[in-house]
Amino acid sequence: MKREWDLLLFKTAGTVFVVFIALVCLFPFLLILAGSFTEESAIYKYGYSLIPAKFSFDAYAIILKTPVSIIRAYGVTILVVVTGTSVGLFITAMACYVLSQPDFKYRKIFSFIIYITSIFSGGLIPLYILMVRYLHLKDTIFALILPLFVTAWNIFLLRNFIREVPYSIIESAKIDGANEFTIFMKIVIPLSIPGFITIGLFQALYYWNDWMQAMLYINDKNLYPIQYYLYNMLNSFQSMNSSFLSSGILLPRIPTESIKMAMTVIATGPIVFLFGFAQKYFIKGLTAGSIKG
Amino acid sequence: MTHTFLQREKRGFRENFIYLLMLLPVLLYFFIFHYLPMTGLILAFKKYNHTGGIFGSPWVGFDNFRFLFISGTIARVTFNTVLYNLVFLITCQFLAVVIAIILNELKSKIIKKGVHSLMFLPYFVSFVVVGAIVYNFFNFEYGMVNTMLRALGKEPVNVYGIPIAWWFIMPFLNIWKWAGYTSVIYLAGVTGIDEQLYEAARIDGATIWQRIRVITIPALKPLIITIILFQLGSILKGQFELFYNVIGNNGQLYNATDVIDTYVFRMLVHNFDIGMGAAAGLYQSLFGLFLILTANYFIKKYQKDYAFF
């Protein structure tokens, strides 16, 4: 009898607990959404709240009236995500394939050379100086792509997938006279598609959410990716408003507070929506990374 | 013995020629973006000026380090970095394990899936958005917290002026961002446990607590230890994006929230004190290397398969 009670108690308390956590995870999203639909005057009067005191589409209307810069920022982000992920993944995959072939003689030494970089690095400042002073990559699209291009971690993860391709298939293709590159293109890639999707999604998300490279290397407003565009909006209004306050001048203010939230929705909504659908691939990737080690 | 060493290497090279060609892009990348910057570590011993660059700037010996230590900067940022990351590590891993164990016991697919999806949501947003959320909560004039305080007839609070508050807010944000993601890893570990063990426990009349204590937790233990050691190894870096987006350049909070990464970043982007930043960076790299090697030593001892090398 006690056993059943314990089980019931555990399940009830457990359900309440995890549902509570799930709601805590959701709450900030709702708050931002609500903020974006609140009329500016209501925010000034009451502050942000979960239920808009006065409902309004104004923030979106104002943002979408001059959409050029947002569209451009989205364009930059998409360009970076697509080229960075596809090209980066392709050369990563080639390296993974080569490093997992038993007939490649220098497997160990090259794995080691790559591996070392994940435990010791020059750090931020030397990389910055190299990028700006010696490679002259400031204010170029490459500055957004290259710092995140290939990682030892991705090589490690993708190798787990590529290793699953049965070596007997590769060997028989070799006997038929196919060269290593042909085997890679015709056999290894098609058989490792799930791995490509999984790691590609992680990589795409990484690029999508990156704002730091832009902060370091981009001054040209036309090259702002969407996250950095948002970052600037959040922070520039902040200083603008406080200077208003300190100067004591009452100017007709643009509705900055609701716009901030609306902009957050515009910059985040699509990605949360898209990646929500791809969740099972993320889960698969996490599992592959942790269990196979 | 007709083959000399040189000939053998030449033949090996020719046979592996296509392999080497395929490896070349990645090798070049690592050479340029990882190995070349390592030469820049010498900046820690220089006073950087723009005309001199990395190699032409004058040497200053250990001056940068001396300043970092005497001014107490190193002590402060190391203390903050280590303590924050320890708190992050403990709270997040603990919660993730608890969540994974509970989700594993629940039978309802709808609750399981729904909870899972919602908890994974924060993982997908950038830290810029986390910054927006914090603004929405704690902004003095319009933030949610002060909205509520005013509604209750209380005085609004300027959270940005209370350093101690951030010792609680930051771990909370870290949990919000990572707990769902981490619990997925543990959940994969839990579902890998042999069903027969649970079945046997049920027949033996074990209570749910016994089942969790005797079967689930021991089965997860290697994974927990490994993940914790992994993260201990990188405890000197971490969560730069969180700190920078939430705190920004708020000077009031430096004592409570300055970590090594934010210090280096500020030296580079705002103070233009390259030498000082590089010195802190080198300190972080070396100390970090030491920690990783130590962590690896212990992983090897407990869980050989998971060791890095």
Side-chain angles (χ1 to χ4, degrees):
Chain A
M1 209 37 219
K2 185 174 181 303
R3 220 176 89 197
E4 262 82 75
W5 273 113
D6 268 8
L7 196 63
L8 193 68
L9 181 73
F10 179 88
K11 288 203 166 161
T12 320
T15 309
V16 171
F17 181 69
V18 287
V19 169
F20 172 73
I21 302 250
L23 290 178
V24 170
C25 286
L26 183 66
F27 183 69
F29 291 101
L30 296 179
L31 206 56
I32 285 182
L33 207 59
S36 75
F37 283 115
T38 310
E39 203 186 76
E40 192 70 10
S41 62
I43 297 180
Y44 292 148
K45 209 162 157 198
Y46 308 109
Y48 290 119
S49 64
L50 195 55
I51 297 143
K54 221 167 164 193
F55 198 83
S56 135
F57 285 108
D58 285 358
Y60 290 97
I62 291 170
I63 290 176
L64 295 176
K65 217 187 263 169
T66 49
V68 184
S69 51
I70 295 171
I71 292 172
R72 194 184 289 123
Y74 251 114
V76 171
T77 294
I78 289 168
L79 181 68
V80 168
V81 168
V82 171
T83 51
T85 308
S86 58
V87 181
L89 216 57
F90 182 73
I91 67 168
T92 300
M94 279 201 297
C96 292
Y97 163 69
V98 172
L99 292 175
S100 60
Q101 294 311 297
D103 59 334
F104 178 55
K105 222 179 138 196
Y106 311 100
R107 208 168 61 235
K108 282 225 169 88
I109 174 80
F110 284 129
S111 300
F112 186 72
I113 288 174
I114 290 169
Y115 181 67
I116 286 285
T117 61
S118 64
I119 61 170
F120 186 79
S121 76
L124 176 70
I125 289 180
L127 179 65
Y128 176 85
I129 293 171
L130 175 80
M131 293 274 296
V132 173
R133 189 188 156 91
Y134 296 96
L135 299 175
H136 305 288
L137 291 176
K138 195 155 191 151
D139 278 329
T140 65
I141 192 92
F142 300 107
L144 296 172
I145 295 175
L146 288 173
L148 312 176
F149 202 42
V150 178
T151 62
W153 179 241
N154 278 352
I155 291 178
F156 169 75
L157 278 181
L158 192 58
R159 201 162 63 166
N160 281 339
F161 283 96
I162 285 181
R163 271 198 190 132
E164 309 245 302
V165 178
Y167 189 62
S168 55
I169 302 181
I170 295 175
E171 222 171 10
S172 63
K174 231 169 238 173
I175 293 166
D176 290 345
N179 79 31
E180 288 83 351
F181 187 68
T182 320
I183 293 172
F184 172 72
M185 295 298 284
K186 295 259 165 73
I187 296 172
V188 176
I189 289 187
L191 286 177
S192 329
I193 292 288
F196 275 90
I197 294 176
T198 304
I199 294 171
L201 281 170
F202 274 100
Q203 187 63 15
L205 184 66
Y206 194 31
Y207 271 124
W208 184 282
N209 280 340
D210 181 60
W211 54 278
M212 198 175 148
Q213 316 311 320
M215 173 168 235
L216 287 169
Y217 303 116
I218 305 294
N219 286 333
D220 179 356
K221 282 202 160 93
N222 293 328
L223 273 176
Y224 280 4
I226 191 78
Q227 297 299 331
Y228 192 56
Y229 185 87
L230 175 67
Y231 177 90
N232 268 309
M233 197 162 200
L234 290 172
N235 289 286
S236 64
F237 278 157
Q238 209 157 338
S239 51
M240 214 164 82
N241 274 352
S242 51
S243 63
F244 273 136
L245 285 177
S246 58
S247 65
I249 308 166
L250 287 173
L251 288 171
R253 290 159 57 156
I254 27 169
T256 56
E257 299 308 310
S258 52
I259 281 187
K260 274 179 195 171
M261 295 304 131
M263 194 55 222
T264 309
V265 173
I266 290 174
T268 310
I271 202 68
V272 170
F273 193 70
L274 267 177
F275 280 116
F277 279 111
Q279 236 183 41
K280 77 169 194 227
Y281 288 104
F282 279 96
I283 292 171
K284 217 159 98 194
L286 276 178
T287 319
S290 63
I291 304 301
K292 285 183 198 159
Chain B
M1 293 303 282
T2 48
H3 285 1
T4 65
F5 172 76
L6 213 67
Q7 278 175 317
R8 216 167 49 231
E9 281 306 304
K10 235 168 104 182
R11 226 189 74 207
F13 187 81
R14 213 169 13 193
E15 274 172 3
N16 284 297
F17 184 66
I18 296 179
Y19 278 151
L20 287 167
L21 221 54
M22 290 173 76
L23 197 55
L24 192 65
V26 164
L27 285 182
L28 265 180
Y29 178 82
F30 276 90
F31 175 72
I32 296 171
F33 291 94
H34 289 276
Y35 282 94
L36 279 185
M38 284 182 199
T39 60
L41 284 171
I42 58 169
L43 283 172
F45 306 98
K46 291 193 164 206
K47 181 151 186 60
Y48 184 83
N49 61 58
H50 197 71
T51 36
I54 292 180
F55 301 103
S57 298
W59 293 95
V60 292
F62 281 89
D63 278 6
N64 294 329
F65 290 96
R66 202 169 296 135
F67 179 81
L68 282 176
F69 277 94
I70 290 173
S71 66
T73 308
I74 279 290
R76 189 188 73 213
V77 293
T78 307
F79 176 81
N80 282 344
T81 309
V82 170
L83 203 57
Y84 268 113
N85 278 314
L86 274 181
V87 174
F88 287 170
L89 180 63
I90 294 164
T91 51
C92 187
Q93 299 301 319
F94 177 75
L95 200 65
V97 171
V98 170
I99 291 168
I101 290 175
I102 292 174
L103 283 181
N104 182 51
E105 295 289 339
L106 297 182
K107 291 286 168 286
S108 159
K109 272 250 160 68
I110 302 169
I111 291 187
K112 238 171 151 168
K113 250 197 118 135
V115 165
H116 216 202
S117 304
L118 288 181
M119 282 190 324
F120 217 157
L121 219 49
Y123 172 71
F124 294 113
V125 302
S126 74
F127 278 100
V128 177
V129 175
V130 177
I133 289 168
V134 170
Y135 178 83
N136 192 314
F137 268 83
F138 297 118
N139 173 267
F140 182 73
E141 294 145 304
Y142 318 115
M144 234 269 310
V145 171
N146 282 343
T147 306
M148 272 164 40
L149 285 177
R150 281 194 200 97
L152 295 171
K154 296 214 165 70
E155 281 294 299
V157 199
N158 179 17
V159 185
Y160 288 94
I162 313 171
I164 190 86
W166 297 91
W167 278 103
F168 297 92
I169 296 169
M170 298 311 272
F172 179 82
L173 290 170
N174 182 67
I175 286 175
W176 182 79
K177 189 86 168 72
W178 295 111
Y181 172 90
T182 317
S183 74
V184 171
I185 298 175
Y186 286 121
L187 200 60
V190 175
T191 38
I193 298 171
D194 193 350
E195 266 307 309
Q196 286 178 343
L197 285 174
Y198 287 117
E199 191 56 27
R202 203 181 58 82
I203 291 165
D204 285 349
T207 66
I208 183 156
W209 309 109
Q210 287 170 326
R211 205 164 67 199
I212 290 171
R213 211 179 61 229
V214 180
I215 302 172
T216 315
I217 292 178
L220 280 180
K221 213 166 134 195
L223 194 56
I224 297 173
I225 292 176
T226 315
I227 291 179
I228 288 181
L229 283 175
F230 253 111
Q231 300 212 350
L232 278 178
S234 54
I235 205 162
L236 285 189
K237 342 185 182 180
Q239 304 305 330
F240 164 77
E241 296 191 71
L242 174 63
F243 282 98
Y244 197 78
N245 275 293
V246 173
I247 309 289
N249 293 307
N250 194 328
Q252 278 176 302
L253 294 174
Y254 282 161
N255 270 331
T257 63
D258 211 8
V259 291
I260 302 179
D261 281 332
T262 47
Y263 178 78
V264 173
F265 192 82
R266 201 169 60 246
M267 285 305 117
L268 173 65
V269 175
H270 299 281
N271 298 31
F272 308 109
D273 198 335
I274 301 286
M276 213 61 80
L282 179 60
Y283 163 79
Q284 181 187 31
S285 277
L286 287 177
F287 195 4
L289 181 65
F290 167 75
L291 287 176
I292 289 174
L293 293 177
T294 316
N296 186 61
Y297 171 79
F298 284 107
I299 293 176
K300 228 174 184 164
K301 232 170 148 180
Y302 288 111
Q303 194 71 13
K304 211 166 179 316
D305 294 347
Y306 287 90
F308 312 106
F309 43 86

